[in-house]
Amino acid sequence: MTYYERVDELRDNTKFTPDGYELEYLTAEIVLVDLLGEYIKDAEVISTTYGTGKVVGTSGDTLDRLIMEVAFDTDTKKFGVLPVITGKVLLTKFADISEVGDAWDHAFDLHTDWTRQITEFKRAEKRAEADAKKKAAADQKAEEKYESTKSKTI
């Protein structure tokens, strides 16, 4: 199965639920990070400072925090994958940036979809909390009014 097929399969098979979305998201994100890490492993990286190197490992718990470890002839360095892909680390780039960029974009689209879903779950939770507070305040006010009317009547 290709990298793209595996990412698409992950998209199709990952469903978040209101009760467990935080853990489900973190778990799915780690799988996505591992897929991209596996894809870029052994990729050639060119640096004007260090020369040519090879990706020997990756780490990170979310795609936007994915770090790659690059072995150069003289040293091993760590770089954020996002800054390298977007060109913010100007001295370093992948030798085949278009291929790696396409793989990144495919994974990042899924990451963005998941982040959007998680944001909606969080908004719904906040709305529910706000509604519960309003109801509690209205109930308290009604109780106070009842007690006031009751004491006036007595």
Side-chain angles (χ1 to χ4, degrees), residues 5-154:
E5 291 170 338
R6 292 170 68 193
V7 171
D8 290 342
E9 181 181 57
L10 185 59
R11 177 188 304 273
D12 294 342
N13 294 332
T14 302
K15 305 294 181 235
F16 302 126
T17 60
D19 294 332
Y21 70 87
E22 289 173 329
L23 181 59
E24 293 163 350
Y25 170 74
L26 291 173
T27 302
E29 192 73 21
I30 288 170
V31 172
L32 185 60
V33 165
D34 288 347
L35 283 174
L36 186 61
E38 188 179 300
Y39 183 83
I40 66 172
K41 190 166 183 199
D42 297 326
E44 184 179 23
V45 175
I46 302 169
S47 168
T48 57
T49 306
Y50 306 106
T52 301
K54 184 167 81 168
V55 178
V56 293
T58 58
S59 61
D61 56 355
T62 63
L63 199 61
D64 49 358
R65 294 192 293 234
L66 180 59
I67 304 293
M68 64 179 174
E69 189 173 343
V70 181
F72 295 100
D73 290 337
T74 58
D75 203 0
T76 299
K77 296 291 182 183
K78 292 183 179 184
F79 300 94
V81 175
L82 179 58
V84 172
I85 296 257
T86 59
K88 291 183 178 154
V89 175
L90 298 176
L91 302 176
T92 306
K93 67 176 188 163
F94 281 102
D96 189 1
I97 192 69
S98 63
E99 184 180 318
V100 173
D102 290 345
W104 171 268
D105 289 344
H106 197 71
F108 202 76
D109 285 345
L110 179 54
H111 166 79
T112 303
D113 288 346
W114 286 348
T115 302
R116 194 174 304 119
Q117 288 177 41
I118 298 310
T119 301
E120 284 303 314
F121 280 128
K122 288 180 179 180
R123 283 185 186 145
E125 280 181 351
K126 286 183 181 181
R127 280 192 300 268
E129 287 174 16
D131 290 347
K133 285 180 182 178
K134 283 180 187 177
K135 184 178 180 332
D139 290 348
Q140 178 67 26
K141 188 174 181 178
E143 180 65 27
E144 289 170 1
K145 186 175 180 180
Y146 169 75
E147 291 297 326
S148 173
T149 304
K150 183 173 140 182
S151 65
K152 285 180 186 177
T153 305
I154 295 176

